[in-house]
Amino acid sequence: MPAERFAVDRSLAKLPLVTLYVTDRCNSRCVTCDYWRHGRDDMDLAAVARLLPSLAQLGTQIVLLSGGEPLLNPEWAPIAQTLRSNGFKVWLLTSGLALAKHARRAAALFETITVSLDGTDAGTYAAIRGLDAFHKVCEGIQSAAAHGVPPAIRVTLQRANYRQLPAFVDLAKDLGAQRVSFLAVDVANPHAFGRTDAFVSDLALRPEDLPQLEQILDSMDQDYPEDFRSGFIAESPEKLRRILRYFNAIHGLGPYPPVRCNAPEFSAVIGATGHVQPCFFIAGPAEAQLSSTGARPGGDLAGVLNGSGMRALRTAIRDGRRPECKTCVCSLWRDPAHIESPARCMGPVSEATA
């Protein structure tokens, strides 16, 4: 048996990165996502406390609070403080709607804050997010930066905002952001981001938009060389061109960009009700449920991760047998021993932050 295959089949003993969906609720109304339509559940502080022994056993280093919109959970601050007090680095993924209100506290609790911003003006933001909140989100980014934690900005490129790609870089600088990153809107996976079977997408670039996107990318190579070199633009020019290749593939004009991803080998996502999944885009087996009081019996985190269903799922992902992986917009490859720097793609807050 090849060594790589053996590594996939063995138990997962270390889990450096864990994402907690601390709520399924969201106060955005994004056209890309359905969490805001039906999200109801919060993860409480007691559930996080029950996780602490498992996180210690698995050598977890970083815990990412996501959702839904994590700042809607009334216990978000005690949850973050409990994790910090137990030696974990805590990251926040947020839509930014409440960041201005909580900037001082958030800057004290989170090592890294990532804010989703899908427009460079109020009209574009409202068209994508369903809210007139562009200026409030910008205020939150500036407030967090003023308190010592300049957020990263993440942009989901789609037909409504792709022409603003260079303007996002300029805006990120004006707001005092740490960096800006880009990924394509996911229109290939109808079940991601709380979507239902009735999901219908008109978010992707159309064929007639693709030459203009290519021109924009070419001009950015010339206009922002230092921002690429410094990492202020998180993606290299070649990685940005994966977005163009993705939209070409959506229209049958070429293959999807090749995916190299080992996220399920060093991370896992835990939902607000304790369901465990290998990544943001693939649901875990039905039995992958953490133990809790009440009506949802289950196991400890290590036991769930190494149950037969989850192990088989990780093997299928590594073997390329999951169709979601072939069209993934947010693949992630990391050396599990070196994940300290914030990942370019850390998954969605209701696709609000993906």
Side-chain angles (χ1 to χ4, degrees), residues 259-306:
V259 171
R260 184 173 186 245
C261 183
N262 67 340
E265 306 302 324
F266 66 83
S267 65
V269 177
I270 302 175
T273 59
H275 191 71
V276 182
Q277 55 193 80
C279 74
F280 294 99
F281 302 98
I282 299 177
E287 69 272 15
Q289 180 68 45
L290 296 179
S291 59
S292 64
T293 57
R296 295 187 177 92
D300 69 288
L301 182 56
V304 168
L305 290 170
N306 293 306

Side-chain angles (χ1 to χ4, degrees), residues 37-66:
R37 298 179 187 277
H38 52 71
R40 298 290 184 273
D41 295 301
D42 288 345
M43 179 182 292
D44 60 21
L45 179 60
V48 175
R50 287 194 297 271
L51 270 174
L52 295 175
S54 291
L55 298 179
Q57 174 191 355
L58 291 164
T60 299
Q61 302 165 36
I62 297 165
V63 180
L64 170 66
L65 301 192
S66 182

Side-chain angles (χ1 to χ4, degrees), residues 5-351:
R5 179 61 180 270
F6 177 77
V8 172
D9 289 342
R10 69 185 179 188
S11 297
L12 196 62
K14 296 291 183 181
L15 196 70
L17 174 62
V18 171
T19 296
L20 301 182
Y21 282 179
V22 294
T23 183
D24 285 336
R25 298 181 294 125
C26 190
N27 49 359
S28 294
R29 297 293 181 266
C30 300
V31 296
T32 55
C33 171
D34 281 343
Y35 272 110
W36 60 270
R37 298 179 187 277
H38 52 71
R40 298 290 184 273
D41 295 301
D42 288 345
M43 179 182 292
D44 60 21
L45 179 60
V48 175
R50 287 194 297 271
L51 270 174
L52 295 175
S54 291
L55 298 179
Q57 174 191 355
L58 291 164
T60 299
Q61 302 165 36
I62 297 165
V63 180
L64 170 66
L65 301 192
S66 182
E69 169 46 53
L71 297 182
L72 284 181
N73 186 318
E75 294 186 299
W76 71 266
I79 287 171
Q81 183 62 65
T82 296
L83 292 166
R84 279 180 61 93
S85 298
N86 281 271
F88 302 107
K89 295 179 179 180
V90 191
W91 295 353
L92 173 67
L93 224 57
T94 175
S95 65
L97 291 174
L99 187 56
K101 176 181 178 181
H102 299 298
R104 183 185 298 273
R105 187 69 173 132
L109 290 172
F110 297 107
E111 181 171 293
T112 296
I113 298 173
T114 299
V115 176
S116 178
L117 189 62
D118 288 340
T120 61
D121 57 69
T124 304
Y125 181 94
I128 294 173
R129 294 308 185 87
L131 298 172
D132 181 14
F134 171 74
H135 296 293
K136 178 57 67 175
V137 174
C138 290
E139 179 188 350
I141 294 169
Q142 292 174 311
S143 296
H147 286 98
V149 184
I153 290 175
R154 188 162 57 189
V155 180
T156 304
L157 284 181
Q158 51 203 282
R159 187 159 50 84
N161 68 3
Y162 79 93
R163 295 176 182 86
Q164 299 177 347
L165 202 157
F168 279 111
V169 180
D170 299 333
L171 177 62
K173 292 178 182 179
D174 291 343
L175 295 176
Q178 183 183 50
R179 70 175 63 84
V180 60
S181 66
F182 302 91
L183 73 159
V185 63
D186 185 346
V187 295
N189 186 341
H191 303 294
F193 313 112
R195 295 167 180 165
T196 66
D197 289 335
F199 173 75
V200 177
S201 170
D202 189 32
L203 305 173
L205 275 65
R206 294 172 178 170
E208 58 268 27
D209 297 317
L210 301 177
Q212 185 173 0
L213 176 58
E214 186 170 18
Q215 291 175 4
I216 292 170
L217 294 174
D218 288 342
S219 69
M220 288 188 68
D221 289 355
Q222 304 299 317
D223 297 340
Y224 297 93
E226 180 55 33
D227 295 307
F228 283 117
R229 280 195 297 268
S230 68
F232 185 80
I233 301 175
E235 294 78 21
S236 66
E238 178 57 32
K239 285 186 177 179
L240 275 186
R241 281 178 169 77
R242 288 176 61 92
I243 296 174
L244 177 63
R245 295 169 66 187
Y246 173 83
F247 287 123
N248 271 299
I250 290 291
H251 296 292
L253 301 175
Y256 284 96
V259 171
R260 184 173 186 245
C261 183
N262 67 340
E265 306 302 324
F266 66 83
S267 65
V269 177
I270 302 175
T273 59
H275 191 71
V276 182
Q277 55 193 80
C279 74
F280 294 99
F281 302 98
I282 299 177
E287 69 272 15
Q289 180 68 45
L290 296 179
S291 59
S292 64
T293 57
R296 295 187 177 92
D300 69 288
L301 182 56
V304 168
L305 290 170
N306 293 306
S308 59
M310 189 67 85
R311 291 178 63 175
L313 181 54
R314 287 199 302 271
T315 299
I317 292 169
R318 176 57 68 89
D319 288 350
R321 290 185 279 115
R322 293 293 304 205
E324 304 97 326
C325 297
K326 293 179 173 63
T327 62
C328 185
V329 300
C330 199
S331 59
L332 181 62
W333 182 275
R334 287 289 186 275
D335 178 350
H338 300 93
I339 64 164
E340 290 297 319
S341 60
R344 178 185 68 82
C345 182
M346 298 188 297
V349 174
S350 312
E351 187 150 333

